[in-house]
PDB file of all heavy atoms in Angstrom:
ATOM      1  N   LEU A 149     -45.794-123.864  27.613  1.00 91.00           N
ATOM      2  CA  LEU A 149     -45.444-124.629  26.413  1.00 91.00           C
ATOM      3  C   LEU A 149     -43.989-125.079  26.442  1.00 91.00           C
ATOM      4  O   LEU A 149     -43.674-126.229  26.112  1.00 91.00           O
ATOM      5  CB  LEU A 149     -45.711-123.779  25.164  1.00 91.00           C
ATOM      6  CG  LEU A 149     -47.172-123.435  24.880  1.00 91.00           C
ATOM      7  CD1 LEU A 149     -47.276-122.405  23.758  1.00 91.00           C
ATOM      8  CD2 LEU A 149     -47.963-124.687  24.516  1.00 91.00           C
ATOM      9  N   LEU A 150     -43.089-124.190  26.836  1.00 91.00           N
ATOM     10  CA  LEU A 150     -41.668-124.538  26.905  1.00 91.00           C
ATOM     11  C   LEU A 150     -41.416-125.570  27.994  1.00 91.00           C
ATOM     12  O   LEU A 150     -40.564-126.455  27.845  1.00 91.00           O
ATOM     13  CB  LEU A 150     -40.826-123.294  27.157  1.00 91.00           C
ATOM     14  CG  LEU A 150     -40.809-122.236  26.049  1.00 91.00           C
ATOM     15  CD1 LEU A 150     -39.981-121.033  26.484  1.00 91.00           C
ATOM     16  CD2 LEU A 150     -40.262-122.799  24.743  1.00 91.00           C
ATOM     17  N   SER A 151     -42.161-125.465  29.096  1.00 86.00           N
ATOM     18  CA  SER A 151     -42.028-126.442  30.167  1.00 86.00           C
ATOM     19  C   SER A 151     -42.434-127.837  29.700  1.00 86.00           C
ATOM     20  O   SER A 151     -41.786-128.833  30.028  1.00 86.00           O
ATOM     21  CB  SER A 151     -42.888-126.013  31.361  1.00 86.00           C
ATOM     22  OG  SER A 151     -42.863-126.985  32.384  1.00 86.00           O
ATOM     23  N   GLN A 152     -43.506-127.908  28.919  1.00 85.00           N
ATOM     24  CA  GLN A 152     -43.952-129.196  28.387  1.00 85.00           C
ATOM     25  C   GLN A 152     -42.902-129.821  27.481  1.00 85.00           C
ATOM     26  O   GLN A 152     -42.728-131.037  27.443  1.00 85.00           O
ATOM     27  CB  GLN A 152     -45.258-129.012  27.623  1.00 85.00           C
ATOM     28  CG  GLN A 152     -46.459-128.734  28.510  1.00 85.00           C
ATOM     29  CD  GLN A 152     -47.707-128.415  27.699  1.00 85.00           C
ATOM     30  OE1 GLN A 152     -47.648-128.017  26.544  1.00 85.00           O
ATOM     31  NE2 GLN A 152     -48.861-128.593  28.334  1.00 85.00           N
ATOM     32  N   LYS A 153     -42.166-128.979  26.756  1.00 88.00           N
ATOM     33  CA  LYS A 153     -41.118-129.457  25.851  1.00 88.00           C
ATOM     34  C   LYS A 153     -39.775-129.661  26.552  1.00 88.00           C
ATOM     35  O   LYS A 153     -38.796-130.066  25.928  1.00 88.00           O
ATOM     36  CB  LYS A 153     -40.922-128.452  24.708  1.00 88.00           C
ATOM     37  CG  LYS A 153     -42.114-128.302  23.781  1.00 88.00           C
ATOM     38  CD  LYS A 153     -42.258-129.492  22.855  1.00 88.00           C
ATOM     39  CE  LYS A 153     -43.343-129.239  21.816  1.00 88.00           C
ATOM     40  NZ  LYS A 153     -43.471-130.361  20.849  1.00 88.00           N
ATOM     41  N   LYS A 154     -39.723-129.342  27.844  1.00 85.00           N
ATOM     42  CA  LYS A 154     -38.515-129.477  28.655  1.00 85.00           C
ATOM     43  C   LYS A 154     -37.382-128.565  28.178  1.00 85.00           C
ATOM     44  O   LYS A 154     -36.196-128.905  28.274  1.00 85.00           O
ATOM     45  CB  LYS A 154     -38.015-130.933  28.655  1.00 85.00           C
ATOM     46  CG  LYS A 154     -39.065-131.957  29.037  1.00 85.00           C
ATOM     47  CD  LYS A 154     -39.605-131.741  30.438  1.00 85.00           C
ATOM     48  CE  LYS A 154     -40.604-132.830  30.832  1.00 85.00           C
ATOM     49  NZ  LYS A 154     -41.242-132.572  32.152  1.00 85.00           N
ATOM     50  N   ILE A 155     -37.726-127.359  27.681  1.00 89.00           N
ATOM     51  CA  ILE A 155     -36.701-126.434  27.211  1.00 89.00           C
ATOM     52  C   ILE A 155     -36.881-125.037  27.811  1.00 89.00           C
ATOM     53  O   ILE A 155     -36.343-124.061  27.297  1.00 89.00           O
ATOM     54  CB  ILE A 155     -36.669-126.335  25.668  1.00 89.00           C
ATOM     55  CG1 ILE A 155     -38.033-125.902  25.115  1.00 89.00           C
ATOM     56  CG2 ILE A 155     -36.233-127.648  25.045  1.00 89.00           C
ATOM     57  CD1 ILE A 155     -38.020-125.627  23.605  1.00 89.00           C
ATOM     58  N   LEU A 156     -37.619-124.954  28.913  1.00 90.00           N
ATOM     59  CA  LEU A 156     -37.897-123.652  29.504  1.00 90.00           C
ATOM     60  C   LEU A 156     -36.617-122.923  29.901  1.00 90.00           C
ATOM     61  O   LEU A 156     -36.431-121.744  29.602  1.00 90.00           O
ATOM     62  CB  LEU A 156     -38.799-123.805  30.724  1.00 90.00           C
ATOM     63  CG  LEU A 156     -39.059-122.531  31.533  1.00 90.00           C
ATOM     64  CD1 LEU A 156     -39.813-121.508  30.698  1.00 90.00           C
ATOM     65  CD2 LEU A 156     -39.812-122.837  32.822  1.00 90.00           C
ATOM     66  N   GLY A 157     -35.711-123.602  30.587  1.00 89.00           N
ATOM     67  CA  GLY A 157     -34.543-122.936  31.128  1.00 89.00           C
ATOM     68  C   GLY A 157     -33.357-122.835  30.186  1.00 89.00           C
ATOM     69  O   GLY A 157     -32.361-122.195  30.533  1.00 89.00           O
ATOM     70  N   TYR A 158     -33.428-123.450  29.018  1.00 92.00           N
ATOM     71  CA  TYR A 158     -32.282-123.423  28.111  1.00 92.00           C
ATOM     72  C   TYR A 158     -32.030-121.998  27.621  1.00 92.00           C
ATOM     73  O   TYR A 158     -32.852-121.400  26.925  1.00 92.00           O
ATOM     74  CB  TYR A 158     -32.512-124.362  26.933  1.00 92.00           C
ATOM     75  CG  TYR A 158     -32.478-125.839  27.289  1.00 92.00           C
ATOM     76  CD1 TYR A 158     -32.850-126.801  26.356  1.00 92.00           C
ATOM     77  CD2 TYR A 158     -32.074-126.270  28.550  1.00 92.00           C
ATOM     78  CE1 TYR A 158     -32.806-128.167  26.668  1.00 92.00           C
ATOM     79  CE2 TYR A 158     -32.037-127.614  28.873  1.00 92.00           C
ATOM     80  CZ  TYR A 158     -32.401-128.555  27.937  1.00 92.00           C
ATOM     81  OH  TYR A 158     -32.364-129.890  28.252  1.00 92.00           O
ATOM     82  N   LEU A 159     -30.876-121.476  27.969  1.00 94.00           N
ATOM     83  CA  LEU A 159     -30.556-120.080  27.663  1.00 94.00           C
ATOM     84  C   LEU A 159     -30.233-119.853  26.204  1.00 94.00           C
ATOM     85  O   LEU A 159     -30.589-118.825  25.613  1.00 94.00           O
ATOM     86  CB  LEU A 159     -29.354-119.630  28.502  1.00 94.00           C
ATOM     87  CG  LEU A 159     -29.529-119.613  30.015  1.00 94.00           C
ATOM     88  CD1 LEU A 159     -28.175-119.379  30.674  1.00 94.00           C
ATOM     89  CD2 LEU A 159     -30.508-118.522  30.420  1.00 94.00           C
ATOM     90  N   TRP A 160     -29.519-120.783  25.603  1.00 90.00           N
ATOM     91  CA  TRP A 160     -28.889-120.552  24.309  1.00 90.00           C
ATOM     92  C   TRP A 160     -29.842-120.632  23.122  1.00 90.00           C
ATOM     93  O   TRP A 160     -29.412-120.470  21.994  1.00 90.00           O
ATOM     94  CB  TRP A 160     -27.717-121.510  24.110  1.00 90.00           C
ATOM     95  CG  TRP A 160     -27.758-122.726  24.978  1.00 90.00           C
ATOM     96  CD1 TRP A 160     -26.966-122.980  26.066  1.00 90.00           C
ATOM     97  CD2 TRP A 160     -28.627-123.855  24.852  1.00 90.00           C
ATOM     98  NE1 TRP A 160     -27.298-124.182  26.624  1.00 90.00           N
ATOM     99  CE2 TRP A 160     -28.304-124.743  25.904  1.00 90.00           C
ATOM    100  CE3 TRP A 160     -29.652-124.187  23.977  1.00 90.00           C
ATOM    101  CZ2 TRP A 160     -28.966-125.952  26.083  1.00 90.00           C
ATOM    102  CZ3 TRP A 160     -30.313-125.380  24.146  1.00 90.00           C
ATOM    103  CH2 TRP A 160     -29.964-126.253  25.187  1.00 90.00           C
ATOM    104  N   CYS A 161     -31.137-120.838  23.375  1.00 94.00           N
ATOM    105  CA  CYS A 161     -32.116-120.740  22.283  1.00 94.00           C
ATOM    106  C   CYS A 161     -32.990-119.507  22.478  1.00 94.00           C
ATOM    107  O   CYS A 161     -34.055-119.391  21.871  1.00 94.00           O
ATOM    108  CB  CYS A 161     -32.981-122.001  22.204  1.00 94.00           C
ATOM    109  SG  CYS A 161     -33.967-122.323  23.694  1.00 94.00           S
ATOM    110  N   LYS A 162     -32.507-118.564  23.297  1.00 97.00           N
ATOM    111  CA  LYS A 162     -33.315-117.388  23.630  1.00 97.00           C
ATOM    112  C   LYS A 162     -32.502-116.111  23.491  1.00 97.00           C
ATOM    113  O   LYS A 162     -31.306-116.089  23.790  1.00 97.00           O
ATOM    114  CB  LYS A 162     -33.840-117.499  25.064  1.00 97.00           C
ATOM    115  CG  LYS A 162     -34.742-118.706  25.297  1.00 97.00           C
ATOM    116  CD  LYS A 162     -35.136-118.812  26.750  1.00 97.00           C
ATOM    117  CE  LYS A 162     -36.100-119.978  26.973  1.00 97.00           C
ATOM    118  NZ  LYS A 162     -35.460-121.286  26.774  1.00 97.00           N
ATOM    119  N   ALA A 163     -33.186-115.036  23.057  1.00 98.00           N
ATOM    120  CA  ALA A 163     -32.598-113.697  23.020  1.00 98.00           C
ATOM    121  C   ALA A 163     -33.363-112.822  24.007  1.00 98.00           C
ATOM    122  O   ALA A 163     -34.582-112.710  23.939  1.00 98.00           O
ATOM    123  CB  ALA A 163     -32.666-113.113  21.612  1.00 98.00           C
ATOM    124  N   PHE A 164     -32.619-112.200  24.931  1.00 98.00           N
ATOM    125  CA  PHE A 164     -33.193-111.386  26.003  1.00 98.00           C
ATOM    126  C   PHE A 164     -32.854-109.917  25.773  1.00 98.00           C
ATOM    127  O   PHE A 164     -31.716-109.595  25.392  1.00 98.00           O
ATOM    128  CB  PHE A 164     -32.607-111.791  27.363  1.00 98.00           C
ATOM    129  CG  PHE A 164     -32.731-113.251  27.702  1.00 98.00           C
ATOM    130  CD1 PHE A 164     -31.800-114.167  27.231  1.00 98.00           C
ATOM    131  CD2 PHE A 164     -33.753-113.713  28.516  1.00 98.00           C
ATOM    132  CE1 PHE A 164     -31.887-115.519  27.565  1.00 98.00           C
ATOM    133  CE2 PHE A 164     -33.858-115.058  28.851  1.00 98.00           C
ATOM    134  CZ  PHE A 164     -32.919-115.957  28.374  1.00 98.00           C
ATOM    135  N   ARG A 165     -33.779-109.029  26.031  1.00 98.00           N
ATOM    136  CA  ARG A 165     -33.498-107.597  25.914  1.00 98.00           C
ATOM    137  C   ARG A 165     -32.602-107.153  27.078  1.00 98.00           C
ATOM    138  O   ARG A 165     -32.926-107.371  28.251  1.00 98.00           O
ATOM    139  CB  ARG A 165     -34.791-106.789  25.912  1.00 98.00           C
ATOM    140  CG  ARG A 165     -35.574-106.868  24.605  1.00 98.00           C
ATOM    141  CD  ARG A 165     -36.678-105.818  24.578  1.00 98.00           C
ATOM    142  NE  ARG A 165     -36.103-104.477  24.627  1.00 98.00           N
ATOM    143  CZ  ARG A 165     -35.807-103.740  23.547  1.00 98.00           C
ATOM    144  NH1 ARG A 165     -36.025-104.228  22.352  1.00 98.00           N
ATOM    145  NH2 ARG A 165     -35.307-102.537  23.698  1.00 98.00           N
ATOM    146  N   ASN A 166     -31.496-106.522  26.726  1.00 98.00           N
ATOM    147  CA  ASN A 166     -30.545-106.088  27.745  1.00 98.00           C
ATOM    148  C   ASN A 166     -31.142-105.023  28.663  1.00 98.00           C
ATOM    149  O   ASN A 166     -30.859-104.986  29.861  1.00 98.00           O
ATOM    150  CB  ASN A 166     -29.275-105.554  27.077  1.00 98.00           C
ATOM    151  CG  ASN A 166     -28.103-105.450  28.041  1.00 98.00           C
ATOM    152  OD1 ASN A 166     -28.198-105.795  29.211  1.00 98.00           O
ATOM    153  ND2 ASN A 166     -26.979-104.965  27.549  1.00 98.00           N
ATOM    154  N   ASP A 167     -32.012-104.166  28.108  1.00 98.00           N
ATOM    155  CA  ASP A 167     -32.579-103.110  28.953  1.00 98.00           C
ATOM    156  C   ASP A 167     -33.507-103.678  30.029  1.00 98.00           C
ATOM    157  O   ASP A 167     -33.594-103.137  31.137  1.00 98.00           O
ATOM    158  CB  ASP A 167     -33.294-102.049  28.114  1.00 98.00           C
ATOM    159  CG  ASP A 167     -34.434-102.598  27.270  1.00 98.00           C
ATOM    160  OD1 ASP A 167     -34.550-103.834  27.137  1.00 98.00           O
ATOM    161  OD2 ASP A 167     -35.209-101.792  26.727  1.00 98.00           O
ATOM    162  N   VAL A 168     -34.194-104.798  29.732  1.00 98.00           N
ATOM    163  CA  VAL A 168     -35.036-105.453  30.742  1.00 98.00           C
ATOM    164  C   VAL A 168     -34.155-106.043  31.845  1.00 98.00           C
ATOM    165  O   VAL A 168     -34.433-105.883  33.045  1.00 98.00           O
ATOM    166  CB  VAL A 168     -35.908-106.550  30.103  1.00 98.00           C
ATOM    167  CG1 VAL A 168     -36.687-107.319  31.183  1.00 98.00           C
ATOM    168  CG2 VAL A 168     -36.867-105.962  29.086  1.00 98.00           C
ATOM    169  N   ILE A 169     -33.090-106.716  31.444  1.00 98.00           N
ATOM    170  CA  ILE A 169     -32.165-107.317  32.417  1.00 98.00           C
ATOM    171  C   ILE A 169     -31.556-106.242  33.309  1.00 98.00           C
ATOM    172  O   ILE A 169     -31.474-106.397  34.534  1.00 98.00           O
ATOM    173  CB  ILE A 169     -31.059-108.099  31.679  1.00 98.00           C
ATOM    174  CG1 ILE A 169     -31.654-109.336  30.995  1.00 98.00           C
ATOM    175  CG2 ILE A 169     -29.951-108.511  32.641  1.00 98.00           C
ATOM    176  CD1 ILE A 169     -30.673-110.071  30.104  1.00 98.00           C
ATOM    177  N   THR A 170     -31.157-105.132  32.698  1.00 98.00           N
ATOM    178  CA  THR A 170     -30.514-104.054  33.449  1.00 98.00           C
ATOM    179  C   THR A 170     -31.498-103.340  34.371  1.00 98.00           C
ATOM    180  O   THR A 170     -31.205-103.091  35.552  1.00 98.00           O
ATOM    181  CB  THR A 170     -29.891-103.029  32.477  1.00 98.00           C
ATOM    182  OG1 THR A 170     -28.930-103.697  31.645  1.00 98.00           O
ATOM    183  CG2 THR A 170     -29.215-101.906  33.230  1.00 98.00           C
ATOM    184  N   ARG A 171     -32.679-103.031  33.847  1.00 97.00           N
ATOM    185  CA  ARG A 171     -33.674-102.280  34.619  1.00 97.00           C
ATOM    186  C   ARG A 171     -34.109-103.033  35.874  1.00 97.00           C
ATOM    187  O   ARG A 171     -34.307-102.441  36.937  1.00 97.00           O
ATOM    188  CB  ARG A 171     -34.887-101.969  33.736  1.00 97.00           C
ATOM    189  CG  ARG A 171     -35.948-101.136  34.426  1.00 97.00           C
ATOM    190  CD  ARG A 171     -36.940-100.562  33.419  1.00 97.00           C
ATOM    191  NE  ARG A 171     -37.686-101.570  32.707  1.00 97.00           N
ATOM    192  CZ  ARG A 171     -37.515-101.890  31.416  1.00 97.00           C
ATOM    193  NH1 ARG A 171     -36.601-101.262  30.701  1.00 97.00           N
ATOM    194  NH2 ARG A 171     -38.253-102.813  30.841  1.00 97.00           N
ATOM    195  N   HIS A 172     -34.221-104.349  35.760  1.00 97.00           N
ATOM    196  CA  HIS A 172     -34.699-105.154  36.884  1.00 97.00           C
ATOM    197  C   HIS A 172     -33.570-105.896  37.602  1.00 97.00           C
ATOM    198  O   HIS A 172     -33.841-106.720  38.489  1.00 97.00           O
ATOM    199  CB  HIS A 172     -35.755-106.142  36.401  1.00 97.00           C
ATOM    200  CG  HIS A 172     -36.976-105.491  35.815  1.00 97.00           C
ATOM    201  ND1 HIS A 172     -37.903-104.822  36.591  1.00 97.00           N
ATOM    202  CD2 HIS A 172     -37.406-105.379  34.522  1.00 97.00           C
ATOM    203  CE1 HIS A 172     -38.857-104.342  35.808  1.00 97.00           C
ATOM    204  NE2 HIS A 172     -38.578-104.657  34.556  1.00 97.00           N
ATOM    205  N   ASN A 173     -32.335-105.613  37.178  1.00 97.00           N
ATOM    206  CA  ASN A 173     -31.156-106.223  37.803  1.00 97.00           C
ATOM    207  C   ASN A 173     -31.289-107.742  37.903  1.00 97.00           C
ATOM    208  O   ASN A 173     -31.073-108.349  38.966  1.00 97.00           O
ATOM    209  CB  ASN A 173     -30.925-105.625  39.198  1.00 97.00           C
ATOM    210  CG  ASN A 173     -29.550-105.963  39.755  1.00 97.00           C
ATOM    211  OD1 ASN A 173     -28.581-106.100  38.988  1.00 97.00           O
ATOM    212  ND2 ASN A 173     -29.441-106.110  41.060  1.00 97.00           N
ATOM    213  N   ILE A 174     -31.651-108.368  36.797  1.00 97.00           N
ATOM    214  CA  ILE A 174     -31.812-109.821  36.756  1.00 97.00           C
ATOM    215  C   ILE A 174     -30.429-110.459  36.611  1.00 97.00           C
ATOM    216  O   ILE A 174     -29.680-110.140  35.689  1.00 97.00           O
ATOM    217  CB  ILE A 174     -32.721-110.241  35.589  1.00 97.00           C
ATOM    218  CG1 ILE A 174     -34.085-109.561  35.720  1.00 97.00           C
ATOM    219  CG2 ILE A 174     -32.889-111.762  35.565  1.00 97.00           C
ATOM    220  CD1 ILE A 174     -34.986-109.763  34.517  1.00 97.00           C
ATOM    221  N   ARG A 175     -30.108-111.329  37.525  1.00 97.00           N
ATOM    222  CA  ARG A 175     -28.807-111.992  37.534  1.00 97.00           C
ATOM    223  C   ARG A 175     -28.972-113.473  37.868  1.00 97.00           C
ATOM    224  O   ARG A 175     -30.019-113.910  38.348  1.00 97.00           O
ATOM    225  CB  ARG A 175     -27.875-111.339  38.566  1.00 97.00           C
ATOM    226  CG  ARG A 175     -27.453-109.917  38.228  1.00 97.00           C
ATOM    227  CD  ARG A 175     -26.548-109.885  37.006  1.00 97.00           C
ATOM    228  NE  ARG A 175     -26.016-108.551  36.754  1.00 97.00           N
ATOM    229  CZ  ARG A 175     -26.592-107.638  35.971  1.00 97.00           C
ATOM    230  NH1 ARG A 175     -27.765-107.921  35.401  1.00 97.00           N
ATOM    231  NH2 ARG A 175     -26.028-106.472  35.772  1.00 97.00           N
ATOM    232  N   PHE A 176     -27.915-114.225  37.609  1.00 95.00           N
ATOM    233  CA  PHE A 176     -27.896-115.643  37.951  1.00 95.00           C
ATOM    234  C   PHE A 176     -27.519-115.790  39.428  1.00 95.00           C
ATOM    235  O   PHE A 176     -26.641-115.083  39.929  1.00 95.00           O
ATOM    236  CB  PHE A 176     -26.888-116.392  37.080  1.00 95.00           C
ATOM    237  CG  PHE A 176     -27.257-116.438  35.635  1.00 95.00           C
ATOM    238  CD1 PHE A 176     -26.853-115.430  34.769  1.00 95.00           C
ATOM    239  CD2 PHE A 176     -28.027-117.477  35.129  1.00 95.00           C
ATOM    240  CE1 PHE A 176     -27.205-115.449  33.429  1.00 95.00           C
ATOM    241  CE2 PHE A 176     -28.390-117.514  33.789  1.00 95.00           C
ATOM    242  CZ  PHE A 176     -27.979-116.492  32.943  1.00 95.00           C
ATOM    243  N   ASN A 177     -28.195-116.698  40.112  1.00 90.00           N
ATOM    244  CA  ASN A 177     -27.903-116.960  41.518  1.00 90.00           C
ATOM    245  C   ASN A 177     -26.628-117.795  41.607  1.00 90.00           C
ATOM    246  O   ASN A 177     -26.602-118.954  41.195  1.00 90.00           O
ATOM    247  CB  ASN A 177     -29.072-117.684  42.181  1.00 90.00           C
ATOM    248  CG  ASN A 177     -28.930-117.764  43.686  1.00 90.00           C
ATOM    249  OD1 ASN A 177     -27.837-117.928  44.214  1.00 90.00           O
ATOM    250  ND2 ASN A 177     -30.046-117.651  44.389  1.00 90.00           N
ATOM    251  N   LYS A 178     -25.576-117.218  42.163  1.00 87.00           N
ATOM    252  CA  LYS A 178     -24.278-117.881  42.203  1.00 87.00           C
ATOM    253  C   LYS A 178     -24.241-119.079  43.144  1.00 87.00           C
ATOM    254  O   LYS A 178     -23.305-119.877  43.110  1.00 87.00           O
ATOM    255  CB  LYS A 178     -23.195-116.868  42.598  1.00 87.00           C
ATOM    256  CG  LYS A 178     -22.933-115.820  41.537  1.00 87.00           C
ATOM    257  CD  LYS A 178     -21.752-114.938  41.878  1.00 87.00           C
ATOM    258  CE  LYS A 178     -22.090-113.969  42.994  1.00 87.00           C
ATOM    259  NZ  LYS A 178     -20.982-112.997  43.231  1.00 87.00           N
TER     260      LYS A 178
END
Side-chain angles (χ1 to χ4, degrees):
L149 294 171
L150 294 177
S151 176
Q152 288 174 338
K153 295 286 187 177
K154 307 299 183 185
I155 57 173
L156 174 64
Y158 290 171
L159 297 170
W160 20 253
C161 61
K162 299 176 177 68
F164 306 84
R165 285 192 63 93
N166 196 2
D167 59 348
V168 175
I169 292 173
T170 301
R171 183 165 63 252
H172 298 288
N173 194 32
I174 302 172
R175 292 292 186 269
F176 294 89
N177 190 323
K178 291 187 287 186

